[in-house]
Amino acid sequence: MYIPDPAIVAKDPLLQPLKIKHLTIRNRIMSTSHACGLEEGGMPGDAYQSYHEEKAKGGIGLSMFGGSSNVDIDSPNIFRQLNVGTDEIIPYLQRFSDRMHAQGAALMCQISHLGRRGDPYAADRLPTIGPSVIRETAHRSIPKEMDEHDIARVVKAFAAAALRCKEGGLDGIETHAGGHLIGQFLSPDMNRRADRFGGSLENRCRFVLMVHEAIRKAVGDDFLVGIRLTVDEGPHNSLHLEDCIRICQILKEAGAVDFFNAIYGSMESVPALAKYNMPGMGTPLAPWVEPVGVFRSEVGLPVFHAARIADLASARYAVREGKVDMAGMTRAQIADPHIVVKMASGREEEIRPCVGATHCQSQHRPSCLHNPVTGRELTLKHVIPKSDKPGRRVVVVGGGPGGLEAARVSAARGHDVSIYEAAAEFGGQILVGAHSWRRDLKGIVEWRVAELRRLGVNMHTNAYMNENDIAALSPDVVIMATGGLPMIDVREGEALCTNTWDVLTGQVSLSGDVLVVDGTGRHPAPLAAERAIEMGARVSYISVDAVIAEELTYSERTRWKQLFLKYGIQPVTETRLISVARQDNRLLCKLFCDLSQDVSTRLVDHVVVEHGSVPMSEVYDALRGHSANDGVTDLEALAMAAPQPVPPAPGFTLHRIGDAVASRNIHSAMLEALRICSTL
């Protein structure tokens, strides 16, 4: 239970209320709209609502949901949006509003028509529409040019959707311009019409004015209406700051909006989206606060903004200096939905930081690399409840992310926890991978180590534990989080190859011609290629996948493509390494192309291979026969985060997690730790 400290609340600019017309928002922190991936048939069901309700319990002022919620039939669901184009959604919204308001938070929805950003082959396979026939890059659509009938229909659909939101008990809505239909009319790059909707800036504003006039007529003045739009499309586009300010002044003068939700850049391409709209790890914090501040000083209405405002210092600066009225900490709330209550109660150091890993933008969203509870609120708890049988002796072997999470959760349950790490410091593979633009990954380790100290966990480094050492501790539960060892997996010449871990930890120096072999589509191979370049080597790169970094999110994949272009690395895809042999003090590599079925050779000085890892299981195997459960983890119970079956035999129970089971990612290791240890 977090009790707000009145002295903290009184002086913190983030904790001051904001009044917009009749609505008072309790503080200046919001979650901006996003397609969180929890909808059910286009509806915000229990999982969707619980995901947002946790932020309300955590003290957030405003939650904006429903990223790109569709208003009409030719704006299809292509990335798990909501459907506000049907009355079916109203009872869902009513229940949602009741839950959020009961926790003291305001609730709004983003409504949109994708226009040419849609997909003509999705849903009802209808043609996409737009102001002009110009192909959309990211989603590959070539739209139909809208006629006056299309415009009238879409305007009516926006108004009907807004009214449904009001009938659902929401506090307001925002329309989405940016790269969506409204923004397509505003941008001269996408709008080349010669009629009353094209040409001059005033003509290009006609569609958005019609939309907002119809919305206002439908919902009245006692319902907030805003718009999310760019303040500048960036250096290679046509809409710049002065244009965007004028657009917003036109909207304001018409009484069409109550607030602006400011973004920066264009959505025209995936690289632009990753660089400008939703920048992640490796980019500066709060990169667009200054231009948004200039925009706010000119438009004279409340301005919301979100773009890597991942920490409270950045958010405080933005609000205190008048750059924004509401700080959108969307991904920070995904990492820790209780930011506000922790801050207001003097426990700011306990806030789990967002490291910008962009895992929440993967196809598995809204999962957070740092917080495995997010998106699983129906089965897991953000605040770990105390055990009804505290004081069990829990021994965790391995101090990587899974082991640290197991120790943290077990200690929060009230157990006597000891963690043993064979290396000199905690972190495991995170320490291997936290290089280059991925240095912020260390935040995952640093936060957990701080939490273990706060919880009084017995922490040991340089402590290799064998089965006898563990048994001598008389444990009740043993969690094996020993991780794995790098796997080479080459048919011939494996001993002549180097693994990526040795390169990244500085155990191996590279020079001359280096072949990097990527068999996973994860970060280690491109990181090793970058390290080889830094060492002065010439790098060639092959991948078994169709594209580099295929297992990663689009933002991470884009970053690696950009860096490969910078370094002059031209990857060869759908190719695998068959064998390596010595030839004249060099290494002869035999390669097989899956596309052509041809075998080729390449002569290099070093071969660096990334094929994931194999579990370090020796100690686990030795302990199994001494454990009460033979080291077996019940998978049904694990998946449901239910208590593991009570074994019939006496003795300690034994479980292994993360890469000690199979080679996966950070999130998987921590999720297994949480699922097992939250029921101990």
Side-chain angles (χ1 to χ4, degrees):
M1 179 71 178
Y2 301 109
I3 309 290
D5 183 330
I8 293 174
V9 173
K11 67 181 183 181
D12 196 321
L14 292 175
L15 297 176
Q16 305 314 304
L18 174 66
K19 187 171 184 180
I20 306 176
K21 294 176 74 170
H22 64 283
L23 178 68
T24 298
I25 302 171
R26 61 182 171 182
N27 57 58
R28 303 301 184 95
I29 295 180
M30 69 177 293
S31 173
T32 52
S33 57
H34 55 289
C36 69
L38 293 171
E39 96 303 334
E40 302 164 21
M43 299 294 122
D46 196 22
Y48 193 108
Q49 295 178 29
S50 296
Y51 163 73
H52 282 276
E53 186 182 27
E54 196 67 37
K55 303 174 190 182
K57 292 177 181 177
I60 198 170
L62 166 64
S63 202
M64 185 84 74
F65 70 97
S68 308
S69 296
N70 295 303
V71 300
D72 209 353
I73 192 170
D74 52 358
S75 181
N77 186 336
I78 58 173
F79 43 85
R80 305 196 65 178
Q81 302 111 296
L82 299 181
N83 182 4
V84 288
T86 171
D87 289 347
E88 181 187 350
I89 201 169
I90 295 173
Y92 289 91
L93 298 181
Q94 290 171 339
R95 173 61 178 148
F96 195 1
S97 299
D98 289 345
R99 293 173 68 167
M100 297 295 283
H101 291 154
Q103 300 295 338
L107 185 66
M108 299 187 193
C109 182
Q110 179 186 96
I111 66 174
S112 184
H113 194 295
L114 296 174
R116 73 187 192 121
R117 196 168 171 79
D119 184 342
Y121 309 120
D124 294 295
R125 297 181 71 93
L126 298 173
T128 59
I129 56 175
S132 302
V133 182
I134 302 172
R135 180 182 182 270
E136 201 269 347
T137 306
H139 298 87
R140 310 190 64 79
S141 158
I142 300 175
K144 166 199 173 187
E145 182 173 301
M146 295 171 69
D147 60 23
E148 294 268 0
H149 296 289
D150 293 316
I151 289 171
R153 170 176 57 83
V154 173
V155 167
K156 182 178 178 181
F158 266 107
L163 182 58
R164 292 183 189 102
C165 291
K166 181 177 182 179
E167 292 174 346
L170 305 187
D171 298 293
I173 57 98
E174 68 173 15
T175 61
H176 190 349
H180 292 209
L181 184 59
I182 290 174
Q184 291 159 27
F185 270 90
L186 295 174
S187 173
D189 291 332
M190 308 176 211
N191 180 352
R192 301 177 188 173
R193 300 173 73 101
D195 62 2
R196 65 189 184 115
F197 293 96
S200 69
L201 187 144
E202 287 72 20
N203 275 1
R204 287 182 276 117
C205 285
R206 193 180 305 278
F207 177 69
V208 64
L209 285 170
M210 290 173 63
V211 167
H212 276 255
E213 180 183 3
I215 289 174
R216 186 68 81 189
K217 184 176 180 180
V219 301
D221 290 330
D222 59 344
F223 187 71
L224 295 189
V225 178
I227 184 169
R228 181 174 183 172
L229 80 173
T230 185
V231 301
D232 193 322
E233 286 191 333
H236 304 296
N237 297 90
S238 296
L239 273 184
H240 298 298
L241 181 60
E242 59 274 13
D243 305 305
C244 298
I245 289 172
R246 181 60 189 138
I247 289 168
C248 292
Q249 289 171 338
I250 290 172
L251 289 168
K252 177 186 174 183
E253 290 163 5
V257 291
D258 302 310
F259 64 87
F260 296 109
N261 192 348
I263 59 175
Y264 187 94
S266 166
M267 295 182 179
E268 176 62 15
S269 66
V270 171
L273 189 65
K275 179 178 181 179
Y276 296 121
N277 287 160
M278 290 180 278
M281 190 185 297
T283 58
L285 292 170
W288 312 124
V289 161
E290 296 305 325
V292 168
V294 173
F295 171 85
R296 179 184 179 274
S297 69
E298 295 290 336
V299 298
L301 283 176
V303 171
F304 308 164
H305 173 59
R308 198 154 153 69
I309 303 179
D311 65 311
L312 290 175
S314 297
R316 281 196 185 97
Y317 168 79
V319 172
R320 184 184 64 243
E321 300 301 318
K323 309 292 184 182
V324 304
D325 296 281
M326 292 289 292
M329 301 188 72
T330 310
R331 284 177 285 181
Q333 291 275 335
I334 290 174
D336 191 339
H338 294 171
I339 288 175
V340 176
V341 291
K342 289 180 179 179
M343 171 179 60
S345 58
R347 304 174 73 172
E348 197 166 314
E349 73 281 355
E350 295 178 28
I351 294 173
R352 186 189 321 236
C354 171
V355 299
T358 68
H359 195 71
C360 52
Q361 294 170 225
S362 75
Q363 66 269 37
H364 308 297
R365 65 185 185 275
S367 59
C368 172
L369 193 68
H370 199 175
N371 186 353
V373 180
T374 294
R376 299 183 176 93
E377 284 79 10
L378 297 183
T379 56
L380 296 169
K381 303 295 182 185
H382 286 277
V383 177
I384 306 299
K386 290 290 185 182
S387 171
D388 55 2
K389 295 180 180 179
R392 301 178 75 188
R393 185 170 295 174
V394 179
V395 173
V396 180
V397 183
L404 291 170
E405 181 72 350
R408 182 189 75 87
V409 175
S410 299
R413 292 280 285 162
H415 299 306
D416 177 10
V417 181
S418 299
I419 183 170
Y420 297 86
E421 167 56 43
E425 57 181 318
F426 293 106
Q429 288 185 51
I430 286 182
L431 301 183
V432 177
H435 294 283
S436 182
W437 58 277
R438 293 184 55 75
R439 290 187 181 90
D440 288 353
L441 277 178
K442 290 184 179 178
I444 294 173
V445 176
E446 293 165 352
W447 181 79
R448 282 177 173 75
V449 168
E451 284 293 284
L452 297 194
R453 291 188 180 122
R454 184 179 68 83
L455 293 166
V457 171
N458 300 305
M459 303 167 67
H460 307 271
T461 54
N462 293 311
Y464 176 82
M465 303 290 284
N466 62 31
E467 61 273 18
N468 295 325
D469 297 326
I470 297 169
L473 297 172
S474 301
D476 297 306
V477 180
V478 176
I479 305 294
M480 299 298 295
T482 47
L485 291 172
M487 178 169 54
I488 299 295
D489 190 27
V490 177
R491 293 181 194 173
E492 300 175 23
E494 185 172 306
L496 300 174
C497 300
T498 298
N499 65 71
T500 53
W501 298 14
D502 284 347
V503 174
L504 296 174
T505 55
Q507 301 299 308
V508 172
S509 294
L510 302 174
S511 60
D513 295 307
V514 175
L515 174 66
V516 176
V517 180
D518 185 358
T520 63
R522 301 172 186 172
H523 287 290
L527 277 168
E530 182 179 44
R531 179 61 65 88
I533 291 286
E534 292 168 352
M535 293 177 183
R538 297 177 295 274
V539 173
S540 54
Y541 192 100
I542 67 169
S543 172
V544 70
D545 296 316
V547 296
I548 64 168
E550 186 158 337
E551 191 169 309
L552 307 181
T553 66
Y554 73 85
S555 178
E556 295 169 302
R557 189 160 50 248
T558 297
R559 172 68 71 123
W560 282 123
K561 287 180 179 179
Q562 291 170 332
L563 286 172
F564 274 32
L565 185 63
K566 171 186 173 182
Y567 297 136
I569 300 173
Q570 297 181 331
V572 177
T573 59
E574 294 168 287
T575 299
R576 63 189 74 234
L577 176 64
I578 301 174
S579 66
V580 181
R582 288 199 181 279
Q583 180 175 306
D584 300 329
N585 290 324
R586 302 190 82 196
L587 300 176
L588 181 66
C589 303
K590 188 178 291 186
L591 312 177
F592 178 77
C593 176
D594 289 333
L595 287 174
S596 67
Q597 301 287 292
D598 290 336
V599 175
S600 62
T601 59
R602 188 169 300 187
L603 197 61
V604 298
D605 298 292
H606 301 274
V607 179
V608 180
V609 177
E610 162 59 23
H611 277 153
S613 62
V614 291
M616 292 180 62
S617 61
E618 293 83 357
V619 177
Y620 165 80
D621 291 335
L623 282 172
R624 291 189 68 169
H626 303 285
S627 67
N629 64 333
D630 195 30
V632 174
T633 300
D634 184 278
L635 296 184
E636 294 287 342
L638 180 70
M640 295 300 297
Q644 290 288 311
V646 177
F652 63 88
T653 54
L654 173 67
H655 301 279
R656 58 176 174 163
I657 60 174
D659 284 5
V661 182
S663 179
R664 288 161 295 160
N665 64 11
I666 295 168
H667 180 90
S668 297
M670 293 196 295
L671 176 59
E672 286 177 351
L674 179 66
R675 282 171 161 170
I676 291 172
C677 297
S678 63
T679 62
L680 293 179

